[in-house]
Amino acid sequence: DTAVSQTPKYLVTQMGNDKSIKCEQNLGHDTMYWYKQDSKKFLKIMFSYNNKELIINETVPNRFSPKSPDKAHLNLHINSLELGDSAVYFCASSSFDGSNYGYTFGSGTRLTVV
Amino acid sequence: DQQVKQNSPSLSVQEGRISILNCDYTNSMFDYFLWYKKYPAEGPTFLISISSIKDKNEDGRFTVFLNKSAKHLSLHIVPSQPGDSAVYFCAASAHPGNQFYFGTGTSLTVIP
């Protein structure tokens, strides 16, 4: 069973459309994240949720809105897609037991805006 | 403004030899560090972590060394295997639960 699964794996859409990417984790982690990998392969955080509450909201356009219906799910909704939104988006989840970190990524969603 | 840097974009090593991947950071508040590897078209896979109370952590063939005064960490892979060929990212955070800042990665090629 995949620990952090995100769907779809590939998404091709036209400018101006609204799309969602779903993420689910079955690890029992309390914290979930969305990262964007840009054209330079740099992973940059977008959002972080802890137990359904938003704790990190980096400077991303308002067109990006995360939704966490429960602590196992963190979905990313994007309105009015632009060409510059094309990237690979990774969902992740984490836990920390006081000394060791568990941090697991999904396999990524490649978004192409045409 | 990149707080975590991996200055070597690529590294080639013969099978059986040691691979050393380096990472530097600028924020002295960082206390938790992770290494990941990533294969093409897959998500990053966690390898090993270290917190600032230690200067070394070992897991099988992978050892991470932390030099806090130099703001430097390194990942040693011994012996290197062809299956280790991947992109390796280091990441740092000031506090568990906070976000991790990632380096841009080093592409390791292990030559059979």
Side-chain angles (χ1 to χ4, degrees):
Chain A
D1 282 344
T2 305
V4 178
S5 60
Q6 52 184 111
T7 55
K9 193 171 175 66
Y10 299 96
L11 182 55
V12 181
T13 187
Q14 289 188 320
M15 280 176 57
N17 284 350
D18 302 339
K19 291 292 178 186
S20 292
I21 308 172
K22 296 186 177 181
C23 180
E24 176 181 4
Q25 54 98 2
N26 61 7
L27 298 166
H29 288 171
D30 290 331
T31 308
M32 295 185 71
Y33 312 81
W34 277 107
Y35 283 86
K36 178 180 179 181
Q37 185 176 40
D38 62 21
S39 57
K40 295 181 181 178
K41 310 298 182 188
F42 185 53
L43 274 168
K44 189 174 169 72
I45 193 163
M46 300 173 70
F47 302 102
S48 171
Y49 269 74
N50 182 271
N51 281 319
K52 301 196 302 175
E53 288 190 26
L54 180 67
I55 58 172
I56 293 174
N57 183 358
E58 291 295 302
T59 306
V60 298
N62 291 337
R63 301 180 292 102
F64 290 80
S65 54
K67 298 257 187 321
S68 183
D70 55 60
K71 74 173 194 177
H73 295 84
L74 181 61
N75 303 323
L76 183 64
H77 189 75
I78 315 169
N79 289 330
S80 303
L81 277 155
E82 299 177 358
L83 291 176
D85 297 332
S86 296
V88 182
Y89 292 84
F90 288 99
C91 176
S93 69
S94 73
S95 66
F96 183 70
D97 67 4
S99 60
N100 291 309
Y101 236 105
Y103 208 103
T104 306
F105 281 87
S107 56
T109 296
R110 182 174 291 278
L111 171 65
T112 303
V113 182
V114 297
Chain B
D1 180 27
Q2 209 168 319
Q3 300 192 54
V4 179
K5 298 177 184 179
Q6 295 175 255
N7 292 319
S8 298
S10 63
L11 175 68
S12 290
V13 172
Q14 287 289 131
E15 181 178 4
R17 298 286 183 98
I18 183 171
S19 295
I20 300 177
L21 297 102
N22 293 306
C23 179
D24 297 290
Y25 60 96
T26 57
N27 189 338
S28 59
M29 300 297 289
F30 287 152
D31 276 333
Y32 298 88
F33 305 89
L34 308 174
W35 280 96
Y36 285 87
K37 72 176 181 182
K38 186 179 180 305
Y39 296 115
E42 293 183 16
T45 304
F46 172 75
L47 275 177
I48 193 167
S49 67
I50 191 167
S51 67
S52 60
I53 59 172
K54 295 182 177 181
D55 55 16
K56 176 183 172 182
N57 190 21
E58 194 171 350
D59 184 2
R61 296 185 298 113
F62 301 90
T63 303
V64 56
F65 294 92
L66 174 63
N67 183 334
K68 224 173 175 276
S69 61
K71 297 193 186 69
H72 177 84
L73 65 158
S74 60
L75 175 69
H76 292 209
I77 307 173
V78 183
S80 302
Q81 299 173 354
D84 296 330
S85 297
V87 179
Y88 289 78
F89 292 92
C90 67
S93 172
H95 190 276
N98 281 12
Q99 69 156 341
F100 275 86
Y101 293 86
F102 283 80
T104 50
T106 297
S107 178
L108 173 66
T109 301
V110 179
I111 303 164

